[in-house]
Amino acid sequence: MNFRIADTFTDALARLTGEEQKAVKTTAFDLQMNVAAPGLSFHKLDKARDKNFWSVRVNSDLRIIVHKTADSLLLCYVNHHDKAYTWAERRRLEVHPTTGAAQLVEVRETVVDVSVPRFVTTDVTYPAPSDTKPLFDHVSEAKLLEYGVPSEWMTDVRGATDSSILTIIAHLPSEAAEALLELATGGTPMVRAVPSGTIDPFEHPDAKRRFRVMANVEELERALAWPWDRWSVFLHPAQRDLVERSFNGPARVAGTAGTGKTVVAIHRSVHLARQQPESRVLLTTFSIPLARMLRQKLRRLAESDSALADRITVDAIDEIGITLYEQQFGAPRVATPSMIRTLLSSVSSSVGGHAFSDRFLEQEWTDVVDAWQLTNWDSYRDVQRLGRKQRLSEKQRATLWAIFSAAQQRLRESALVTTAQIYSDVSREMLESGVRPFDFVIVDEAQDVSIPQLRFFAALAGGHQDALFFAGDQGQRIFQLPFSWKSLGVDVRGRSHSLRVNYRTSHQIRGMADRLLDAELADVDGVAESRKGTVSVFNSPEPQVVLAESAEAEEQHIAQWLRERLEDGVLPGEIGVFVRSRNEVERARRALALAGLSATAPAPGVDAEPGKVVLMPMHLAKGMEFRAVVVAACDEDVLPLQERIEAVTDESDLEDVYNTERYLLYVACTRARDHLLVSAVAPGSEFLADLETT
């Protein structure tokens, strides 16, 4: 007997309490071991539209809804008795007549108007005719069926308008909902070809996104231990195309927060490892916590093939760089940023560099001299200082080079290396020897890759087909100044693609956050990433922006909002609170205390403490997801951060500061799935005006 589990079951399971989940999992294991076991209590659902729906008793109140036939058992849903029965009475398991995919279809309620004679004479007012034109008037019924729209919902879909479309798609299978959203925003959805001959409805690619075969108890245990993450297990067709496509040079996938770029990166690493069984694949990103998250998702995807997973290395970029350096040159003594800062200040005083501030010297060293590994006067004199907008005369450059060359000499005398030098030395060794530890490199969060790191990747790739693949979003660039990828031999022009469907963030939250950024962002090489046409596949309450009269009033408002979320069933561990810097952490902590909550700030690579709210500065928000998010203390002098503005050495650099501060707020807001509160003491950050509906 085929034993399957539906995403509707695991979604419902995740909403139960911990003790309830344990009881449900025990019953699920019993079902897989022996459906006919004497202790299992099946009950036929007389009112269900699908006569193969049964309920299975978990305890006095909980019921699992299963679809049972002679050769298969599908776990469909779980809830308390009445809610479980109501769900089953409104669903049918069907094979779509056009696509051939198995679908759990919500039964459309039929409302019949019954005329009742009334013997009262009165004036009748008729409603004005609607000027709203149906969105899909121009689309044939046959085409809508090809997109996976169930026949039962065809009339509703054909009559959908701007005001009703989001309500309607909430009732449809995912492939139909995504196609309609793309149509509504001017796109042309891809139609999947129906395989010739007979095909198992559960083997259709669309069905695989919602139904999963459980081959054994161990696989069921893993599925129930992890939340159902359909976007890291099964791919949207547009994502799959990018995963499986062959590129004749470096390629990049872009998209707004929540569109599945990381999912594509993970699947791409597995695909390449499977295509070439002896290959070695590097999946990497810029931070240790994000690398750990990638490792967990990769393990979930490749859980049945340990040999394949062993050929995919998942580490942070700096970890890989230092490991390869140690293999070639021994353990490095790395000069820390504070050491560099002290060294530059000391050298500047000795060579008469008083015209330049310590802050300017540090930035010029980090962004130009060390980044590009400039080792002589000619290279510094002629370098294009991309990202450094303050113009320098040749005389000024000569003075600066005296400082930097002296600093380099002192580093050599102390046997110290910079992180950029580590990448440079390893890259040079690979180019000279022709020996490369990896055949393919996939980089997540690529918008924050530095100049030395990109040079390192170019050396790792060696220029062969499919060797380099990047996933990133220019709107989330918060750590690096822009620079030319093409100048470093990584040209993604013509091989850059954007994802459009957002799975993580609701329509309302995504729409508000997108107002912080331009509709199109371009890199230094002119490769544009359009944010137009992105659609979210679910709705949520409208996000709130609150300006309080005082910090105390803001804390009270946050506390009340959090209490309401807890009443909605949101667990403390599903809540994230972000502030601009550590200076505002205590302010947010006081608000949590008022709500009866405590906070945790997990160290890199460490899980958050259960039962506590995650509280962090915004720059640590990357890769995180929460059902509810508070972005607190967005005051006028906090966002953009005042100390960053004061540290700007040239007014032209202000643009970059303001951009990255906007990106930080965007990143923090888009960590939310269902609920978002942005708060400040009046008048608040100037960015908050952009969040208001236009």
Side-chain angles (χ1 to χ4, degrees):
M1 171 178 282
N2 288 320
F3 187 84
R4 296 186 176 91
I5 185 171
D7 60 349
T8 48
F9 174 81
T10 46
D11 285 346
L13 177 66
R15 290 191 286 269
L16 300 178
T17 67
E19 289 302 315
E20 289 171 339
Q21 289 185 32
K22 289 180 183 178
V24 171
K25 290 177 183 180
T26 299
T27 304
F29 293 139
D30 291 342
L31 283 168
Q32 186 177 37
M33 294 299 294
N34 183 9
V35 173
L40 293 172
S41 177
F42 282 81
H43 178 72
K44 184 76 171 178
L45 300 181
D46 296 330
K47 294 183 180 181
R49 306 291 183 93
D50 191 320
K51 298 308 177 184
N52 290 317
F53 273 150
W54 295 70
S55 79
V56 179
R57 179 188 174 96
V58 176
N59 56 29
S60 60
D61 187 33
L62 288 171
R63 298 292 184 271
I64 296 175
I65 302 300
V66 302
H67 189 275
K68 183 165 72 78
T69 64
D71 60 356
S72 72
L73 185 78
L74 171 66
L75 304 186
C76 298
Y77 188 71
V78 62
N79 210 326
H80 300 281
H81 181 284
D82 292 350
K83 291 181 179 179
Y85 275 47
T86 299
W87 184 93
E89 290 166 5
R90 300 270 327 236
R91 303 294 190 286
R92 281 199 304 259
L93 181 65
E94 296 180 350
V95 176
H96 192 278
T98 299
T99 68
Q103 295 179 330
L104 276 171
V105 177
E106 184 174 348
V107 177
R108 180 72 177 93
E109 286 186 339
T110 302
V111 180
V112 179
D113 292 328
V114 179
S115 299
V116 179
R118 296 182 64 187
F119 302 99
V120 178
T121 302
T122 182
D123 293 332
V124 178
T125 302
Y126 294 97
S130 173
D131 293 329
T132 305
K133 182 180 179 181
L135 290 170
F136 309 118
D137 253 2
H138 61 294
V139 186
S140 68
E141 184 170 320
K143 181 61 70 174
L144 292 173
L145 287 170
E146 289 182 355
Y147 293 146
V149 174
S151 302
E152 179 129 3
W153 285 87
M154 189 60 67
T155 300
D156 298 86
V157 169
R158 296 304 300 272
T161 63
D162 284 332
S163 59
S164 66
I165 179 62
L166 293 174
T167 301
I168 292 171
I169 65 168
H171 299 276
L172 302 180
S174 55
E175 65 269 26
E178 292 163 12
L180 294 180
L181 283 169
E182 189 167 352
L183 278 173
T185 55
T188 304
M190 181 176 66
V191 176
R192 296 191 68 83
V194 180
S196 57
T198 304
I199 184 173
D200 184 341
F202 289 98
E203 288 300 311
H204 190 285
D206 287 333
K208 281 187 171 184
R209 297 164 61 187
R210 48 184 166 264
F211 305 115
R212 187 176 178 186
V213 175
M214 298 291 106
N216 50 52
V217 172
E218 290 75 20
E219 189 170 353
L220 176 62
E221 185 174 10
R222 285 193 295 267
L224 298 183
W226 285 321
W228 180 286
D229 188 351
R230 71 197 73 179
W231 313 122
S232 68
V233 177
F234 301 115
L235 289 168
H236 181 279
Q239 293 174 324
R240 183 172 296 280
D241 176 65
L242 292 173
V243 165
E244 299 178 352
R245 187 184 303 186
S246 183
F247 298 95
N248 61 1
R252 184 169 69 193
V253 59
T256 63
T259 50
K261 300 178 294 298
T262 297
V263 173
V264 169
I266 295 168
H267 276 268
R268 176 90 175 163
S269 65
V270 172
H271 170 74
L272 291 171
R274 283 179 175 154
Q275 289 294 105
Q276 299 193 28
E278 301 302 319
S279 63
R280 298 152 302 174
V281 180
L282 172 63
L283 175 60
T284 187
T285 188
F286 72 90
S287 76
I288 292 174
L290 289 180
R292 183 174 182 273
M293 178 269 293
L294 288 176
R295 197 175 298 121
Q296 290 172 336
K297 290 192 174 184
L298 175 72
R299 194 164 59 242
R300 186 181 311 177
L301 183 60
E303 61 195 11
S304 61
D305 192 342
S306 58
L308 179 143
D310 289 342
R311 290 191 289 109
I312 304 174
T313 299
V314 187
D315 276 317
I317 301 172
D318 283 350
E319 291 178 311
I320 288 294
I322 291 175
T323 297
L324 295 180
Y325 186 94
E326 288 177 344
Q327 293 172 0
Q328 297 295 329
F329 308 103
R333 294 183 61 224
V334 182
T336 65
S338 61
M339 293 168 64
I340 294 294
R341 194 178 306 120
T342 301
L343 175 60
L344 291 173
S345 179
S346 172
V347 172
S348 175
S349 299
S350 65
V351 301
H354 305 293
F356 304 101
S357 68
D358 289 348
R359 175 71 174 172
F360 176 86
L361 291 174
E362 183 183 0
Q363 290 177 332
E364 187 77 0
W365 169 273
T366 302
D367 298 332
V368 182
V369 177
D370 196 39
W372 292 96
Q373 285 293 285
L374 306 179
T375 58
N376 56 65
W377 159 241
D378 289 342
S379 61
Y380 181 63
R381 179 191 60 201
D382 300 332
V383 69
Q384 292 185 357
R385 299 166 63 253
L386 292 174
R388 299 288 286 159
K389 295 185 173 66
Q390 180 174 335
R391 293 186 178 183
L392 296 173
S393 66
E394 185 167 331
K395 182 178 179 181
Q396 287 175 312
R397 289 202 189 202
T399 301
L400 287 167
W401 182 247
I403 297 171
F404 297 138
S405 61
Q408 290 175 340
Q409 179 62 33
R410 291 195 188 181
L411 288 173
R412 286 192 294 270
E413 292 170 352
S414 302
L416 292 170
V417 296
T418 64
T419 303
Q421 189 177 341
I422 287 174
Y423 289 117
S424 178
D425 290 348
V426 172
S427 300
R428 185 179 61 255
E429 176 65 25
M430 285 190 293
L431 292 172
E432 291 175 354
S433 67
V435 177
R436 294 176 175 83
F438 302 104
D439 300 290
F440 304 104
V441 179
I442 294 94
V443 184
D444 193 30
E445 299 290 352
Q447 74 281 345
D448 280 314
V449 165
S450 68
I451 292 168
Q453 290 169 342
L454 191 65
R455 273 183 160 171
F456 169 66
F457 292 139
L460 264 179
H464 68 84
Q465 185 168 310
D466 289 328
L468 275 180
F469 188 87
F470 300 91
D473 174 15
Q474 292 291 330
Q476 297 184 64
R477 178 179 59 80
I478 59 178
F479 294 116
Q480 297 297 329
L481 289 173
F483 61 91
S484 170
W485 285 29
K486 181 173 175 287
S487 68
L488 295 175
V490 181
D491 189 357
V492 298
R493 293 177 302 173
R495 292 182 297 274
S496 183
H497 307 270
S498 293
L499 298 171
R500 304 291 184 206
V501 183
N502 189 305
Y503 309 107
R504 187 186 68 210
T505 304
S506 74
H507 169 76
Q508 289 77 8
I509 294 172
R510 179 196 56 77
M512 187 185 82
D514 279 352
R515 289 195 286 272
L516 287 166
L517 308 178
D518 293 334
E520 185 173 277
L521 299 174
D523 64 15
V524 172
D525 297 320
V527 180
E529 297 177 6
S530 176
R531 315 180 82 77
K532 297 177 182 177
T534 300
V535 294
S536 297
V537 298
F538 64 96
N539 291 311
S540 75
E542 289 289 342
Q544 297 180 31
V545 179
V546 172
L547 296 178
E549 294 181 357
S550 65
E552 292 75 17
E554 181 197 20
E555 292 161 15
Q556 291 285 352
H557 190 98
I558 292 173
Q560 177 60 32
W561 189 88
L562 289 170
R563 285 191 287 266
E564 291 170 0
R565 300 292 75 76
L566 296 173
E567 292 171 2
D568 291 337
V570 179
L571 300 175
E574 297 174 322
I575 300 172
V577 178
F578 298 104
V579 291
R580 175 58 188 89
S581 71
R582 299 192 185 278
N583 295 333
E584 293 78 45
V585 166
E586 284 306 314
R587 183 163 146 191
R589 199 183 297 276
R590 289 195 296 270
L592 292 174
L594 288 172
L597 295 166
S598 56
T600 178
V606 178
D607 287 332
E609 295 178 60
K612 292 188 176 183
V613 173
V614 171
L615 170 57
M616 285 183 166
M618 292 179 187
H619 67 275
L620 297 177
K622 286 285 189 70
M624 292 189 167
E625 301 175 17
F626 300 93
R627 285 186 63 191
V629 165
V630 177
V631 186
C634 298
D635 297 353
E636 185 178 34
D637 57 347
V638 172
L639 190 70
L641 196 62
Q642 194 64 28
E643 64 188 64
R644 286 195 69 197
I645 294 175
E646 293 172 353
V648 170
T649 55
D650 188 280
E651 287 190 10
S652 58
D653 290 332
L654 275 174
E655 181 182 354
D656 285 327
V657 171
Y658 273 85
N659 283 342
T660 53
E661 293 288 305
R662 278 182 177 276
Y663 299 163
L664 272 170
L665 180 57
Y666 173 81
V667 168
C669 290
T670 53
R671 301 309 95 189
R673 173 181 170 84
D674 302 310
H675 305 278
L676 173 64
L677 170 66
V678 182
S679 66
V681 173
S685 166
E686 61 191 271
F687 299 152
L688 301 190
D690 296 326
L691 297 178
E692 300 297 329
T693 304
T694 54

